Amino acid sequence: EAEVAQSPRYKITEKSQAVAFWCDPISGHATLYWYRQILGQGPELLVQFQDESVVDDSQLPKDRFSAERLKGVDSTLKIQPAELGDSAMYLCASSQGQLYGYTFGSGTRLTVV
Amino acid sequence: GQQLNQSPQSMFIQEGEDVSMNCTSSSIFNTWLWYKQDPGEGPVLLIALYKAGELTSNGRLTAQFGITRKDSFLNISASIPSDVGIYFCAGLVKGAQKLVFGQGTRLTINP
């Protein structure tokens, strides 16, 4: 069964450092999402891509977060500088555009110390 | 913004018992989804509901899309140890492909 690949699985970084996460969606999925999930809460959308274009980044803290999907395939989410409050699970998901194709990766667990 | 209120926040039950949880919103959603998340993993889709009033089953799981399109419930019958985890409801925002999630229901099963 096709999967959404994310790396790394775990990341510990010091505050004020830069950190990056990578996501490889299911082949052929045009829509890619980055969600942030704080412990004990549901996931919240950070950014949505359609191919290489950003469709929705209204909840992305743009002063420190950036996301790109240059060739419309894999994607990178960056935080610079990281803050203690950024500690969370960062989930990537992809979709063919139909809801049944909305699949999540296993996430990257970020801890900022 | 749009919010989903999920209840209960946690449940402690005996193996074999039935489970019921629900999700309500002040907003209308065209699609309701139920996910299960195991520790350290991403959410996995359990059931998707596309029409108001729809009742859908997936094995021991049954979910319904409320008539008002503002609520949904999930039932699990004859719970087993592997049902342990966090269950999330999610609503699809009209006109978009993004999901709004509830806060989750943590299910714990005593053998």
Side-chain angles (χ1 to χ4, degrees), chain A residues 9-10 31 33 35 37 40-43 45 48 56 58 89 91 95 97-100 102 104-107, chain B residues 31-33 35 37 39-45 48 50 88 92 96-104 106:
Chain A
R9 286 296 305 272
Y10 305 93
T31 312
Y33 314 79
Y35 281 80
Q37 184 178 23
Q41 298 182 18
L45 182 69
Q48 176 182 349
D56 184 348
S58 57
M89 173 81 90
L91 293 162
S95 166
Q98 301 296 325
L99 196 57
Y100 64 83
Y102 204 115
F104 281 89
S106 296
Chain B
T31 300
W32 283 88
L33 306 169
Y35 285 84
Q37 188 174 27
E41 298 294 330
V44 175
L45 182 65
Y50 301 104
F88 290 99
L92 183 68
Q97 283 292 318
K98 70 176 185 180
L99 295 177
V100 175
F101 282 82
Q103 297 302 299
R106 180 180 295 275

Side-chain angles (χ1 to χ4, degrees), chain B residues 61-83:
Chain B
L61 278 61
T62 301
Q64 184 158 27
F65 191 151
I67 290 293
T68 65
R69 290 195 285 158
K70 293 183 178 181
D71 63 335
S72 177
F73 73 75
L74 174 70
N75 287 341
I76 305 173
S77 62
S79 58
I80 60 176
S82 62
D83 291 334

Side-chain angles (χ1 to χ4, degrees), chain A residues 13-32:
Chain A
T13 190
E14 294 182 348
K15 63 180 181 179
S16 80
Q17 296 297 305
V19 63
F21 315 126
W22 177 79
C23 173
D24 190 12
I26 292 174
S27 178
H29 282 195
T31 312
L32 184 147

Side-chain angles (χ1 to χ4, degrees), chain A residues 10 14 19 23 45-46 57 61 64 69-70 76 81 85 88 91 94 96 102 105 112:
Chain A
Y10 305 93
E14 294 182 348
V19 63
C23 173
L45 182 69
L46 290 175
D57 63 356
R64 298 185 300 106
R69 193 183 184 198
L70 293 177
T76 302
L91 293 162
S94 71
Q96 294 172 305
Y102 204 115
V112 182

Side-chain angles (χ1 to χ4, degrees), chain A residues 73-93:
Chain A
V73 181
D74 58 339
S75 175
T76 302
L77 178 69
K78 298 179 181 178
I79 308 175
Q80 183 174 17
E83 295 180 353
L84 295 178
D86 296 332
S87 296
M89 173 81 90
Y90 290 82
L91 293 162
C92 179

